[in-house]
Amino acid sequence: MSNSSAAGMEGFDTNHFGDVTYICRASGWSVLSQSPQPSSRKQTRFINGSTSKNKSSALWNYGQKLEEERGVVVDSQGYATMFRIKKKDQTRIDTDAGFVDSILIDGKDIPDGISYSTNLGCIDFYPSISGKKNCCIYLAGRFNARRGADSCICICDDDNDLDMALWCRCAYLPSITSESMKTATESNNNGQFIVALNENTGVVGFRATEWILETLFDEVVAL
């Protein structure tokens, strides 16, 4: 971390994942600095052939543990602060009990400070200070949302969107792509979830997204 990056940090909490340093301000966590990768750094070779860049944190150590001790195929290629486990890649573990259950083992194995979400046959692991909900919290603070979560609306459709959808005042869904999101829409009848998909009127696919954007535009204009 450069001296200029460290300046003015007094009174703030910081956290580190790999070479990325996060700082907690009143508006939420944000990236403070990202160090260049030293050429002498030890690299972790993932089973799928990708080579890690900055895999020295608890997150990457956990990914390596899943591979070496459990035989899980981990995809880290192209990801800076997360890794993904794809169901279709798993050839060395028994998933008869269910893909998610076979990987997580009741969540007992996951280190503190790491969260996960499922998405279309994948499990994503990432620092608990990141994720879509925390991004919304940060943006609400960054742009001085007057009523916090009550000022926020999101567009979503899947399990990995659920925390964000429940935090925001309202969530619009072009479609429903997971059982957990379907359950949430059916159990929350207070108007928090609005499903745009309507096959009877032809509001499907991209038309459902267009309907949502037009609805939000009208709401903003009416303010």
Side-chain angles (χ1 to χ4, degrees):
M1 184 188 308
S2 66
N3 291 333
S4 59
S5 296
M9 285 176 53
E10 293 80 2
F12 292 113
D13 291 330
T14 58
N15 210 331
H16 309 275
F17 284 91
D19 293 316
V20 182
T21 299
Y22 296 86
I23 183 168
C24 185
R25 298 182 172 90
S27 56
W29 287 96
S30 59
V31 174
L32 175 69
S33 66
Q34 185 165 2
S35 305
Q37 171 64 31
S39 59
S40 61
R41 186 95 176 217
K42 180 182 178 181
Q43 293 184 327
T44 300
R45 175 70 64 177
F46 283 82
I47 290 174
N48 69 352
S50 64
T51 303
S52 65
K53 300 181 182 67
N54 51 351
K55 315 301 191 198
S56 60
S57 69
L59 178 70
W60 306 116
N61 290 340
Y62 178 56
Q64 185 176 13
K65 177 181 179 180
L66 288 173
E67 291 192 316
E68 295 179 351
E69 297 183 9
R70 304 262 311 281
V72 177
V73 178
V74 173
D75 179 12
S76 66
Q77 192 166 11
Y79 303 115
T81 58
M82 61 160 280
F83 64 81
R84 171 167 286 180
I85 298 175
K86 302 176 182 177
K87 182 178 181 179
K88 65 182 182 64
D89 291 343
Q90 307 311 314
T91 59
R92 306 175 69 177
I93 60 172
D94 182 7
T95 59
D96 290 343
F99 169 56
V100 176
D101 291 338
S102 64
I103 299 295
L104 299 180
I105 313 181
D106 298 327
K108 298 176 181 178
D109 198 33
I110 303 176
D112 291 339
I114 296 176
S115 297
Y116 72 92
S117 58
T118 59
N119 179 31
L120 299 176
C122 302
I123 308 175
D124 295 337
F125 292 88
Y126 44 83
S128 298
I129 61 173
S130 65
K132 297 181 180 182
K133 172 187 172 182
N134 287 336
C135 286
C136 286
I137 294 172
Y138 169 77
L139 290 172
R142 174 67 177 80
F143 294 103
N144 299 315
R146 287 173 295 178
R147 292 175 287 122
D150 286 339
S151 298
C152 300
I153 293 173
C154 67
I155 301 176
C156 58
D157 64 357
D158 206 355
D159 178 78
N160 65 344
D161 301 318
L162 197 51
D163 284 345
M164 171 182 67
L166 291 171
W167 184 81
C168 291
R169 172 174 66 84
C170 182
Y172 284 86
L173 285 69
S175 62
I176 299 174
T177 60
S178 71
E179 284 298 319
S180 60
M181 188 62 80
K182 180 181 178 181
T183 300
T185 59
E186 292 173 347
S187 60
N188 286 268
N189 55 6
N190 58 357
Q192 183 165 1
F193 291 87
I194 300 175
V195 182
L197 177 68
N198 190 329
E199 295 182 355
N200 294 329
T201 59
V203 180
V204 297
F206 72 89
R207 295 189 184 279
T209 302
E210 286 184 343
W211 180 88
I212 293 171
L213 294 175
E214 290 171 356
T215 300
L216 295 177
F217 180 78
D218 291 342
E219 181 176 328
V220 171
V221 169
L223 292 177

